[in-house]
Amino acid sequence: MEQKHPQILEASAVIFDVDGTLVNTVDFHAEAWQRAFAKFGFQFEVEKIRSQIGKGGDQLMPVFLKPNEIDKHGKKIDAARQELVERVYFPQVVGFPKVRELFDFLIERGIKVGLGSSAKTDDLKVYKRAAGIEDLKMTETTSEDAERSKPHPDIFNAALDRLKIDPARVMVVGDTPYDVEAATKAGMATTGLLCGGFSEASLRDAGAVDIYQDPEGLLNALKAARGVN
């Protein structure tokens, strides 16, 4: 699984997904969706919902609901989910270990860092604080910068527009096949992390070039490749 020479070291910039990549929130989102669906009479197994986390609501709801059901209940379901996330789950959000150290390592080596998330802007502020990166100046794109969420490339394309770097020189770091698919459509390679709960095989099959356990595992590999203790 671990690579001897992480391809991320050849990049000029790195765009990080956030949910499941930098903060441990995938289960929270799956539970929030399940509870919001149930409020309107739709019962789905949490594991089936979990397999779709990484998509925005515009892409997730059509997996479970018919078009007429989305027309009738979609906005209310999404509002109920958001209320649960803010009231119940935000206080429990924690960042994965060594996120700040990973960002510092890249920045110190002249590699630009940015965020490309399907989250809303206000949600992203919570996640950045949990990950310990809220004070860093970097490119950020959210669901509000994209017409369509992942696995469409809109969010990453918006980040590329701001970075003004050839996509061939940019690496995405994400935890879901949807991150990999979106990055590929935008012309970028992806380093996959397993901390969001998706399998190594699913990330490989989607096209991830390197796989690591979590931000700490990636940082350790980068340090080893550069001979840093």
Side-chain angles (χ1 to χ4, degrees):
M1 178 177 68
E2 305 294 323
Q3 308 296 319
K4 290 184 178 180
H5 184 80
Q7 294 188 44
I8 197 171
L9 287 170
E10 308 306 318
S12 298
V14 181
I15 302 172
F16 287 87
D17 171 61
V18 180
D19 279 297
T21 299
L22 305 180
V23 292
N24 192 3
T25 53
V26 174
D27 287 336
F28 295 158
H29 286 301
E31 291 171 12
W33 275 114
Q34 184 188 46
R35 292 171 65 177
F37 279 133
K39 185 176 180 179
F40 292 87
F42 301 104
Q43 304 292 334
F44 303 109
E45 294 179 6
V46 72
E47 281 305 312
K48 289 184 178 179
I49 298 173
R50 197 187 195 287
S51 72
Q52 300 299 314
I53 299 300
K55 298 178 178 180
D58 62 313
Q59 302 300 311
L60 184 147
M61 276 195 275
V63 175
F64 298 97
L65 303 180
K66 299 174 182 176
N68 65 305
E69 293 171 334
I70 295 174
D71 290 342
K72 184 176 181 180
H73 302 292
K75 289 183 178 179
K76 293 179 181 178
I77 290 172
D78 193 43
R81 177 204 61 81
Q82 183 67 25
E83 188 276 331
L84 281 167
V85 167
E86 293 178 6
R87 176 174 56 85
V88 177
Y89 298 110
F90 271 178
Q92 304 178 58
V93 173
V94 296
F96 289 114
K98 303 295 184 179
V99 169
R100 178 55 184 251
E101 289 89 339
L102 173 59
F103 275 54
D104 287 343
F105 183 95
L106 294 171
I107 292 168
E108 287 166 4
R109 281 150 186 81
I111 300 174
K112 293 183 178 180
V113 296
L115 304 177
S117 173
S118 296
K120 295 179 172 62
T121 299
D122 287 344
D123 296 3
L124 186 60
K125 292 178 182 177
V126 175
Y127 302 149
K128 286 167 59 182
R129 188 161 53 248
I133 56 174
E134 72 272 23
D135 61 313
L136 294 178
K137 301 295 184 182
M138 55 187 160
T139 297
E140 300 173 9
T141 52
T142 67
S143 60
E144 292 152 41
D145 299 302
E147 183 176 342
R148 303 166 300 175
S149 66
K150 302 168 189 173
H152 294 287
D154 302 27
I155 290 169
F156 290 145
N157 281 334
L160 284 171
D161 287 343
R162 296 178 185 178
L163 285 168
K164 300 188 184 307
I165 297 175
D166 182 344
R169 300 290 301 164
V170 182
M171 177 72 73
V172 167
V173 177
D175 69 298
T176 76
Y178 315 119
D179 294 317
V180 184
E181 184 178 342
T184 300
K185 290 175 180 176
M188 295 179 288
T190 304
T191 292
L193 300 185
L194 300 175
C195 46
F198 285 83
S199 69
E200 180 175 355
S202 70
L203 296 174
R204 291 278 186 205
D205 289 346
V209 296
D210 290 337
I211 307 284
Y212 300 94
Q213 181 59 42
D214 51 22
E216 183 174 12
L218 174 55
L219 176 62
N220 290 339
L222 295 173
K223 286 182 174 180
R226 283 292 180 259
V228 178
N229 292 325

